[in-house]
Amino acid sequence: MPLWVELVLRVGGVLVAFLTLPLLVGQAEHKVMAHMQGRLGPMYAGGFHGWAQLVADGVKFVQKEDITPREADRAVFRLAPAVALVPYLLVLLVIPLGPNDLVGQPLDIGLFFVLAVVGVGVVAVLMSAWASANKYSLLGGLRGAAQLLGYELPLVLAAASVAMAASTLSLSGIVAAWQPWWLLWQAPAMIIFFVAGLAEIRRPPFDMPVADSELVFGYMTEYTGLRFAFFLLAEYVGIVVIAALTTVLFLGGWQGPFADDQLGWLWTLLKVFAVAFVIIWLRVSYPRLREDQLQRLCWLVLVPASLAQLVLTAAVRIAL
């Protein structure tokens, strides 16, 4: 197969995943929350089991007027939603779906690339907060920056633990090196990574930057129409990315109970949607953390625990 054809197929596959998986997660969130909270609308929109709820939301956003505040920095204000989306698209390029290079772009330093790109999300938050010329947006942006910069540390340390265990920074290499017993000794790292990932994408109970009871909607207060929809899409893509990284790093990726490489992609997707369900479930089940609780969890619990996990991983590697 010519190189350019292979490149087009790989990039096209990633774009399809980028455009479809977040929509499936969004539809699943509507249904899960409707069942857990007794919401009637999402179960009846369009007829059969509310299949048209997400379509209705899309039509609503398209019809809304696109407003830019008079005092806003227009260029930065309009660019921020795109900056929120692009890092997740780049991350999806290097996350392996299955064995035999079933990945957009295999990298030997894939984990390093992912952690570096995910950190760009704080730039979009600060851009939207500052450019909106709104005090609630600015407060939400400052909260978001403090949260993202704090939880970046346990996220990186937890990922470093599994990379040390696998002796590689390649995401495909980590999956290949993964063993079922890692579910025990890497379990603390998995929990730390998952919790820090939730904070990175600002999902409840870590949604202080968009606390509607205090900040209207935080750094997204002044956004309307499709620009607001892009921020929501970035949130759903973030769910897919965190679920996929948790799957690849800690749950064995494409490895399943049967030794069949042809079904590897299916095992990966099943695990990703299972983790995404847990993310949705946590949104419904837990109240928002206060700012002091959020920072205390990061610096007094997750960071020391991630350092202890690194020591444990180093000891096990030396022993083996």
Side-chain angles (χ1 to χ4, degrees):
M1 181 184 299
L3 180 60
W4 68 270
V5 174
E6 181 180 356
L7 180 62
V8 169
L9 290 177
R10 289 178 181 272
V11 174
V14 172
L15 284 175
V16 170
F18 179 75
L19 295 174
T20 57
L21 292 180
L23 297 181
L24 293 176
V25 170
Q27 184 75 349
E29 181 169 62
H30 281 97
K31 302 307 173 187
V32 171
M33 293 181 65
H35 281 294
M36 289 184 172
Q37 298 181 333
R39 300 184 180 188
L40 297 180
M43 305 306 297
Y44 290 97
F48 177 72
H49 207 66
W51 66 270
Q53 180 62 51
L54 206 62
V55 177
D57 287 342
V59 173
K60 175 185 69 176
F61 285 125
V62 170
Q63 291 178 335
K64 285 183 176 292
E65 183 180 1
D66 184 12
I67 299 174
T68 301
R70 182 170 49 204
E71 300 298 326
D73 186 328
R74 293 178 177 270
V76 178
F77 182 85
R78 294 173 178 174
L79 184 61
V83 175
L85 272 173
V86 170
Y88 294 127
L89 174 60
L90 295 177
V91 169
L92 288 177
L93 280 170
V94 301
I95 295 180
L97 184 62
N100 304 319
D101 279 344
L102 189 57
V103 57
Q105 178 59 53
L107 291 178
D108 292 336
I109 56 169
L111 181 58
F112 177 83
F113 175 83
V114 165
L115 296 176
V117 172
V118 168
V120 177
V122 67
V123 177
V125 173
L126 291 175
M127 287 173 63
S128 59
W130 177 258
S132 294
N134 181 297
K135 61 182 179 181
Y136 296 111
S137 298
L138 182 58
L139 287 173
L142 293 176
R143 283 184 178 183
Q147 176 174 319
L148 297 179
L149 292 175
Y151 279 86
E152 189 80 15
L153 182 56
L155 184 81
V156 171
L157 291 175
S161 173
V162 72
M164 184 187 299
S167 300
T168 179
L169 289 175
S170 168
L171 295 178
S172 298
I174 291 174
V175 177
W178 184 86
Q179 299 293 331
W181 67 281
W182 285 21
L183 290 173
L184 296 177
W185 75 300
Q186 291 297 321
M190 179 177 66
I191 295 172
I192 294 167
F193 184 90
F194 179 75
V195 173
L198 286 183
E200 285 288 310
I201 60 176
R202 301 167 296 284
R203 286 283 297 184
F206 303 98
D207 58 340
M208 283 296 295
V210 293
D212 49 353
S213 60
E214 306 164 27
L215 303 178
V216 186
F217 213 56
Y219 60 91
M220 292 186 284
T221 297
E222 297 292 349
Y223 284 89
T224 60
L226 284 178
R227 298 187 196 280
F228 181 73
F230 286 158
F231 271 116
L232 293 185
L233 179 61
E235 179 179 332
Y236 288 130
V237 181
I239 294 175
V240 173
V241 167
I242 293 301
L245 288 176
T246 304
T247 296
V248 168
L249 295 177
F250 300 100
L251 299 178
W254 62 75
Q255 297 193 40
F258 309 107
D260 187 357
D261 289 347
Q262 300 300 321
L263 294 178
W265 62 271
L266 180 59
W267 289 117
T268 301
L269 290 178
L270 287 176
K271 294 175 184 178
V272 167
F273 280 107
V275 176
F277 171 80
V278 175
I279 294 175
I280 297 169
W281 173 43
L282 289 175
R283 173 180 180 175
V284 180
S285 305
Y286 285 89
R288 179 184 301 125
L289 295 177
R290 296 195 315 265
E291 185 67 21
D292 61 318
Q293 294 172 331
L294 186 144
Q295 295 295 341
R296 187 180 299 113
L297 174 64
C298 174
W299 295 105
L300 299 183
V301 178
L302 296 186
V303 171
S306 58
L307 291 172
Q309 177 64 35
L310 275 178
V311 174
L312 172 63
T313 302
V316 172
R317 287 293 300 169
I318 294 173
L320 294 178

